[in-house]
């Protein structure tokens, strides 16, 4: 079992920045990729970004490339999502997820993840 707790969400004006954190626990020494997903009101959950265990590989959906950056600190069992130049369309509930069992080629898909956090609200005002 892996428990995930997100933090760092909030209300920000367009053009501003936020940094989300996702603290993982429950699987000491486990090596797994991590991802961020988001769900806007009335829309399906979508992939945002992912990072391999080593941090050597990162993935982004096109709409956030150049604005968002995913990173991780394995010593702290924490993954971060730095979000810059935020836009109103970035408003959503952001959830982190852990890929413990899923094959690496599913890292950008929801079905590739085994554990999910509760989510944190990000609201970007215009």
């Amino acid at each position: 079992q892996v428990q995930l707790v997100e933090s760092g969400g909030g209300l920000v004006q367009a053009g501003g920045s936020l940094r989300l954190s996702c603290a993982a626990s429950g699987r000491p020494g486990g090596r797994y990729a991590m991802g961020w997903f988001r769900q806007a009101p009335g829309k399906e959950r979508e992939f945002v970004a992912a990072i391999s265990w080593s941090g050597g590989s990162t993935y982004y959906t096109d709409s956030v490339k150049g604005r968002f950056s995913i990173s991780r600190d394995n010593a702290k069992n924490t993954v971060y999502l730095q979000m810059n130049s935020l836009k109103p369309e970035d408003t959503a509930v952001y959830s982190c997820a852990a890929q413990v069992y899923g094959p690496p080629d599913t890292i950008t898909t929801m079905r590739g993840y085994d554990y999910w956090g509760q989510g944190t609200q990000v609201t970007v005002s215009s």
Side-chain angles (χ1 to χ4, degrees):
Q1 288 281 359
V2 176
Q3 291 79 44
L4 303 172
V5 179
E6 302 96 337
S7 61
L11 174 64
V12 64
Q13 288 188 332
S17 298
L18 283 174
R19 188 176 82 154
L20 305 183
S21 299
C22 173
S25 62
R27 196 178 176 93
R31 298 188 171 193
Y32 40 85
M34 296 288 293
W36 286 96
F37 292 77
R38 66 186 179 186
Q39 186 168 20
K43 296 187 177 181
E44 295 185 351
R45 183 179 286 178
E46 66 172 352
F47 169 76
V48 176
I51 187 166
S52 63
W53 159 252
S54 68
S57 297
T58 57
Y59 310 82
Y60 299 93
T61 192
D62 287 346
S63 63
V64 308
K65 286 180 180 177
R67 300 188 298 123
F68 290 12
S69 178
I70 189 170
S71 61
R72 66 189 300 162
D73 183 339
N74 289 337
K76 296 181 178 179
N77 295 318
T78 301
V79 175
Y80 306 97
L81 184 68
Q82 177 66 44
M83 306 186 295
N84 299 326
S85 301
L86 282 161
K87 304 175 181 180
E89 50 264 43
D90 294 318
T91 295
V93 174
Y94 285 71
S95 301
C96 66
Q99 185 185 60
V100 177
Y101 308 110
D105 63 356
T106 62
I107 196 171
T108 62
T109 67
M110 287 191 293
R111 66 181 178 88
Y113 290 82
D114 310 288
Y115 299 98
W116 293 81
Q118 292 294 323
T120 185
Q121 177 70 46
V122 171
T123 303
V124 185
S125 64
S126 58

